[in-house]
Amino acid sequence: GDSVTQMEGPVTLSEEAFLTINCTYTATGYPSLFWYVQYPGEGLQLLLKATKADDKGSNKGFEATYRKETTSFHLEKGSVQVSDSAVYFCALESSYKLIFGSGTRLLVRP
Amino acid sequence: GAVVSQHPSRVICKSGTSVKIECRSLDFQATTMFWYRQFPKQSLMLMATSNEGSKATYEQGVEKDKFLINHASLTLSTLTVTSAHPEDSSFYICSARLGGNTEAFFGQGTRLTVV
């Protein structure tokens, strides 16, 4: 069945460092891909999405490109802030259902 | 974005009792709601999908009689864990969407501990 694999955390970075969180997927067809973020004590929020190959989703300085050839959707940010500390989930949509990766906790130190 | 409220955020119950978790869409009508379960350091696992006014569709391996889902209105879905046991302890999350291909909005989750 369809699945999502993302790198284990926690990822600890200093402020202004470059961030990459890896995400790969297995799916039949070409699903939409998402990154969700969960801040402490809050629900998951959609961070960005891409609906077809080579699409780039972006929001709040975060970017991810839908790579069909490598079945990947890695999340990147050029300069992280303390306020980016959260858990990040990669997901794909299959038959209107979201299938999630295990989440990656990011901790940004001042 | 739209707000989905989940209540309670934490609950502790005794083994053998039942506990109800509510999920409300506060500013939109949710034709479809989803219930997830999350184990520590693992993915959110979809338990069931419910459409307003109809029976929930459960994922394979999820016990229908154990996890009762009701979606009686366009703004409220409930998950009742019946005859709870310690292995039911987990983090339960709901999400709601207006319909079809629209964005899903998530509640903040409920931490259930069965003692």
Side-chain angles (χ1 to χ4, degrees):
Chain A
D2 297 350
S3 65
V4 176
T5 302
Q6 63 182 104
M7 62 189 289
E8 285 192 29
V11 173
T12 303
L13 296 173
S14 297
E15 205 166 22
E16 299 183 2
F18 184 85
L19 168 71
T20 300
I21 299 178
N22 290 336
C23 171
T24 57
Y25 67 90
T26 302
T28 53
Y30 304 104
S32 294
L33 302 175
F34 305 82
W35 277 100
Y36 283 84
V37 59
Q38 185 175 31
Y39 298 103
E42 299 183 17
L44 274 74
Q45 302 173 25
L46 178 63
L47 180 60
L48 53 84
K49 70 177 185 180
T51 58
K52 61 182 187 297
D54 300 325
D55 264 5
K56 177 185 282 187
S58 61
N59 185 26
K60 299 181 181 179
F62 291 89
E63 294 184 339
T65 301
Y66 192 142
R67 301 287 188 198
K68 184 179 67 173
E69 61 278 8
T70 55
T71 61
S72 65
F73 193 55
H74 304 322
L75 182 68
E76 296 181 336
K77 187 174 185 181
S79 175
V80 294
Q81 305 300 312
V82 172
S83 58
D84 293 327
S85 298
V87 181
Y88 292 82
F89 293 89
C90 185
L92 65 81
E93 186 167 39
S94 176
S95 302
Y96 300 117
K97 301 175 187 177
L98 289 171
I99 297 172
F100 289 89
S102 55
T104 302
R105 183 174 297 278
L106 171 65
L107 177 61
V108 181
R109 301 192 184 279
Chain B
V3 178
V4 174
S5 176
Q6 199 172 330
H7 178 79
S9 57
R10 291 178 179 269
V11 59
I12 300 173
C13 70
K14 291 184 177 180
S15 187
T17 63
S18 296
V19 61
K20 180 184 287 188
I21 302 169
E22 292 188 348
C23 178
R24 293 181 185 273
S25 56
L26 297 186
D27 49 5
F28 70 102
Q29 293 186 325
T31 56
T32 307
M33 287 187 170
F34 303 86
W35 287 95
Y36 296 84
R37 181 173 179 177
Q38 185 180 26
F39 294 97
K41 298 184 180 180
Q42 295 189 28
S43 302
L44 281 71
M45 303 301 296
L46 180 64
M47 299 174 66
T49 304
S50 71
N51 293 295
E52 186 266 340
S54 60
K55 289 185 178 181
T57 301
Y58 290 80
E59 296 298 304
Q60 192 172 12
V62 177
E63 299 177 60
K64 301 178 183 181
D65 296 331
K66 174 74 159 174
F67 300 99
L68 301 179
I69 292 172
N70 184 283
H71 191 167
S73 78
L74 285 170
T75 60
L76 174 65
S77 177
T78 60
L79 167 67
T80 301
V81 183
T82 63
S83 187
H85 292 284
E87 58 265 29
D88 299 324
S89 298
S90 194
F91 195 60
Y92 294 88
I93 301 173
C94 73
S95 76
R97 63 198 317 176
L98 182 57
N101 204 20
T102 59
E103 181 178 344
F105 298 96
F106 287 79
Q108 70 270 45
T110 298
R111 172 76 59 194
L112 170 64
T113 303
V114 184
V115 298

